[in-house]
């Protein structure tokens, strides 16, 4: 019987999947380990894009673009501009309250996991959200114009630079946040959400203790491919995979996870890759993985739970 589930997650793709999952099982039984490699300090504030995307989505606050708060205004950003500060990262007025409160908690001695818990509790979340680590980690993209933080590569420069390498700074020294290893060990099923394998699942997997726990997990591990028909549904996963010298395919994602997953879910359009992926030593399921409607999200969650049994 699958009762407790642990999910590994990035931002928008994972959040959409989790919207389906909370409809097919009790949210109290779900723990989500979220990437913090995108975390960035701007205007003296600690911003955690992926945890916030998951938190806002599950609290039904997220804007239709997949990040930020629905109906938010940007008056503070206008004032930042007047002061000559950088405004490429569009922080909404309501969203700013989250970053101010998180930073206040951190400065007051709270760890990142405790601060995240306070935010989630206040927003009434039943799902447990854990940052992957309380230590500072940062996904850095090495490009033809230099090395830069992932958000700078994605948002400030519009992912236009040629990717040469990806450095997951700090992950070699990072230890998992409290509860992360326990949630992997005690889960009845583990799901790798359809997130960027390089900069979302990559930093989670790069933490040695987490990688070991995943390899030794007694529960089945199912991953969902974020690459469909040779492209990423959202974000720069395809550019990063290509930059690392791999072909942009579901097969490449499966190969990145091959030492710890049992089942790989690919989209119908990639059915032809099924036999090749099986040779990596995993079961492969082809189904619709494009989450346009709530129905799609629920169906994908149901297929994933079935694959865990
Ligand atoms: N993404 C953008 O494309 N442009 C933005 O200005 C932007 C602001 C932003 C503010 C808060 C937040 O939590 C997320 C934000 N994102 C923005 C999303 C974020 O850059 C990425 O989509 C994730 O880091 C990748 O998962």
């Amino acid at each position: 019987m699958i009762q407790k589930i642990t999910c590994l997650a990035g931002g928008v793709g994972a959040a959409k999947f989790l919207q389906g999952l909370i409809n097919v099982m009790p949210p109290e039984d779900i723990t989500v380990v979220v990437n913090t490699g995108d975390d960035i300090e701007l205007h003296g504030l600690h911003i955690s894009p992926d945890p916030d995307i998951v938190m806002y989505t599950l609290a039904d606050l997220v804007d239709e673009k997949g990040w930020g708060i629905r109906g938010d205004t940007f008056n503070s950003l206008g004032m930042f501009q007047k002061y000559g500060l950088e405004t490429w990262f569009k922080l909404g007025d309501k969203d700013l309250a989250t970053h101010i409160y998180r930073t206040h908690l951190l400065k007051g001695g709270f760890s990142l996991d405790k601060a995240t818990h306070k935010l989630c509790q206040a927003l009434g979340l039943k799902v447990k959200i854990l940052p992957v680590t309380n230590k500072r980690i940062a996904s850095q993209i090495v490009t033809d114009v230099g090395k830069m933080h992932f958000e700078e590569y994605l948002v400030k420069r519009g992912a236009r630079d040629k990717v040469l390498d990806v450095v997951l700074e700090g992950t070699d020294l990072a230890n998992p946040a409290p509860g992360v290893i326990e949630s992997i060990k005690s889960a009845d099923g583990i799901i790798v959400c359809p997130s960027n394998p390089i900069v979302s699942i990559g930093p989670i997997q790069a933490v040695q203790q987490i990688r070991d726990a995943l390899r030794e997990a007694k529960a089945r591990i199912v991953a969902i491919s974020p690459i469909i028909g040779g492209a990423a549904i959202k974000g720069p996963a395809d550019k990063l995979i290509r930059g690392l010298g791999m072909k942009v395919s579901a097969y490449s994602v499966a190969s990145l996870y091959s030492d710890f997953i049992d089942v790989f879910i690919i989209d119908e359009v990639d059915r032809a890759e099924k036999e090749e992926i099986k040779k990596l030593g995993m079961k492969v399921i082809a189904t619709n993985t494009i989450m346009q409607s709530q129905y799609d999200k629920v169906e994908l969650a149901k297929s994933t739970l079935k694959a865990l049994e």
Side-chain angles (χ1 to χ4, degrees):
M1 246 296 265
I2 303 285
Q3 252 183 335
K4 281 197 292 172
I5 298 273
T6 293
C7 299
L8 311 186
V12 182
K16 283 168 92 175
F17 172 77
L18 291 165
Q19 275 181 313
L21 193 63
I22 56 167
N23 268 274
V24 295
M25 65 176 288
E28 300 80 16
D29 292 336
I30 305 171
T31 299
V32 190
V33 177
V34 189
N35 168 49
T36 53
D38 296 3
D39 284 25
I40 188 165
E41 193 174 311
L42 288 170
H43 316 300
L45 301 173
H46 183 113
I47 298 156
S48 283
D50 282 355
D52 286 352
I53 287 169
V54 173
M55 181 175 79
Y56 291 158
T57 304
L58 297 181
D60 195 21
L61 290 173
V62 83
D63 187 72
E64 61 182 21
K65 59 189 178 303
W67 52 267
I69 294 179
R70 193 165 49 236
D72 212 347
T73 49
F74 292 85
N75 297 308
S76 308
L77 207 69
M79 203 63 190
F80 282 153
Q81 197 164 17
K82 275 200 174 48
Y83 287 130
L85 301 172
E86 290 199 87
T87 54
W88 54 270
F89 205 66
K90 304 282 178 265
L91 298 167
D93 298 326
K94 288 183 180 175
D95 189 26
L96 267 171
T98 303
H99 313 312
I100 292 169
Y101 184 36
R102 177 188 292 113
T103 308
H104 172 71
L105 289 169
L106 293 173
K107 290 210 163 133
F110 276 74
S111 53
L112 188 58
D113 70 301
K114 294 255 162 49
T116 306
H117 179 68
K118 288 277 266 187
L119 292 166
C120 290
Q121 211 178 20
L123 296 183
L125 250 65
K126 292 188 178 136
V127 168
K128 189 172 186 182
I129 297 181
L130 294 175
V132 56
T133 178
N134 284 335
K135 295 264 156 59
R136 185 196 162 272
I137 59 169
S139 297
Q140 299 280 351
I141 313 300
V142 182
T143 74
D144 55 345
V145 295
K147 189 167 107 171
M148 62 190 87
H149 186 281
F150 172 70
E151 295 295 356
E152 233 176 302
Y153 161 78
L154 178 70
V155 179
K156 189 175 183 183
R157 298 186 56 83
R160 65 173 182 264
D161 306 308
K162 188 173 158 52
V163 175
L164 304 175
D165 200 3
V166 175
V167 180
L168 304 175
E169 234 170 57
T171 53
D172 49 343
L173 297 174
N175 52 332
V180 170
I181 297 298
E182 294 77 359
S183 80
I184 293 172
K185 282 191 176 160
S186 65
D188 301 309
I190 299 167
I191 301 171
V192 182
C193 294
S195 297
N196 188 318
I198 311 296
V199 291
S200 296
I201 304 302
I204 300 176
Q205 214 190 319
V207 176
Q208 182 76 49
Q209 280 172 265
I210 299 183
R211 195 162 59 233
D212 293 344
L214 289 170
R215 284 201 193 116
E216 291 157 16
K218 61 170 175 36
R220 261 196 166 187
I221 310 186
V222 177
I224 303 152
S225 176
I227 298 292
I228 302 177
I233 285 287
K234 198 176 186 301
D238 41 9
K239 290 179 174 160
L240 301 179
I241 292 174
R242 203 173 295 118
L244 293 179
M246 287 179 278
K247 190 178 160 206
V248 183
S249 64
Y251 178 88
S252 294
V253 181
S255 65
L256 289 167
Y257 300 158
S258 65
D259 60 336
F260 65 91
I261 66 167
D262 303 294
V263 186
F264 194 53
I265 299 181
I266 58 171
D267 193 80
E268 288 284 5
V269 303
D270 295 315
R271 193 175 272 280
E273 289 184 47
K274 208 169 164 176
E275 291 311 312
E276 227 21 58
I277 299 174
K278 269 191 196 168
K279 287 183 196 157
L280 291 168
M282 57 189 75
K283 204 177 146 198
V284 184
I285 294 169
T287 187
N288 172 46
T289 62
I290 300 176
M291 296 176 284
Q292 267 161 348
S293 62
Q294 180 60 18
Y295 174 82
D296 296 336
K297 294 171 194 170
V298 167
E299 286 306 300
L300 184 57
K302 281 185 189 164
S303 308
T304 309
L305 285 187
K306 208 166 148 223
L308 282 172
E309 273 162 11

